[in-house]
Amino acid sequence: MSEKTNEVAILAGGCFWCIEAVFLDVAGVSAAQSGYIGGHLDAPSYERVCDGDTGHAEAVRIEFDPAVIGYSDLLDIFFAIHDPTTPNRQGNDVGTQYRSAIFTTSPEQDAIARAKIEQLALEGEFDAPIVTEVEPAGTFWPAEPYHDNYFARNGRQPYCQFVVAPKVAKFRKAFAGRRKGG
């Protein structure tokens, strides 16, 4: 009998509170950690990343069991819950830290991500070209602890009500069979 081996996906699609809240609800996901990746500053802070000059994206490091959910399935959810056609922007969140990006941890993930983008483009899934970046993962810097499970702890805040909650609701409706306990 072999031990269960989790894999890691790192996705950036705007504010990490949204991405984390959705993926914490996905069956097969054992952890979703908000953080920063893709920049030039070691150990960046939220304040520095929000300045928009560190090159980091707000991202989520997702640990998942590929026997329960595949990487391609994670990408289906990712593309359904954010707008991959707006460069450096998600709604009112503007800046390079809010870019759409997939940070791959293996050549297989890179191939799957590029094929998924090509498939979505061929299917005309979006009204504009997909601008999601695909690049090898560098160092992932975990965000400050107050970002952990942010939506569950702060769901009544206006930003959570108007930005995070609709993305969580969209996921729950479109992917009901992929929810934990679902």
Side-chain angles (χ1 to χ4, degrees):
M1 182 174 186
S2 64
E3 288 186 32
K4 180 173 85 172
T5 304
N6 280 351
E7 291 184 21
V8 170
I10 303 173
L11 305 174
C15 176
F16 49 32
W17 297 337
C18 298
I19 304 296
E20 180 199 59
V22 167
F23 283 99
L24 283 172
D25 198 22
V26 175
V29 170
S30 58
Q33 169 73 55
S34 291
Y36 318 106
I37 191 169
H40 57 78
L41 180 70
D42 287 348
S45 67
Y46 183 65
E47 290 74 22
R48 282 301 314 273
V49 171
C50 285
D51 286 344
D53 62 359
T54 68
H56 291 88
E58 287 192 17
V60 177
R61 183 183 184 276
I62 301 160
E63 291 182 33
F64 66 100
D65 179 352
V68 177
I69 187 165
Y71 185 71
S72 181
D73 299 316
L74 292 176
L75 294 180
D76 287 339
I77 295 167
F78 172 67
F79 282 110
I81 62 167
H82 86 292
D83 182 352
T85 69
T86 53
N88 302 324
R89 173 184 211 127
Q90 286 297 303
N92 291 328
D93 293 331
V94 179
T96 58
Q97 67 271 29
Y98 301 116
R99 67 188 179 270
S100 176
I102 300 168
F103 296 91
T104 59
T105 62
S106 70
E108 294 78 19
Q109 282 190 359
D110 186 272
I112 292 167
R114 292 179 191 282
K116 181 67 66 180
I117 292 169
E118 185 176 326
Q119 173 193 356
L120 292 170
L122 286 172
E123 292 172 353
E125 186 68 26
F126 299 98
D127 293 334
I130 295 170
V131 297
T132 303
E133 300 170 2
V134 178
E135 61 184 83
T139 303
F140 179 85
W141 302 97
E144 297 80 353
Y146 70 88
H147 295 289
D148 295 342
N149 208 10
Y150 194 86
F151 179 63
R153 293 183 301 100
N154 299 283
R156 295 178 109 20
Q157 288 183 353
Y159 184 90
C160 289
Q161 286 294 301
F162 294 107
V163 179
V164 184
K167 291 185 182 206
V168 171
K170 184 176 185 179
F171 158 73
R172 289 178 176 170
K173 181 178 180 184
F175 297 92
R178 288 285 185 195
R179 291 189 61 204
K180 289 181 178 172

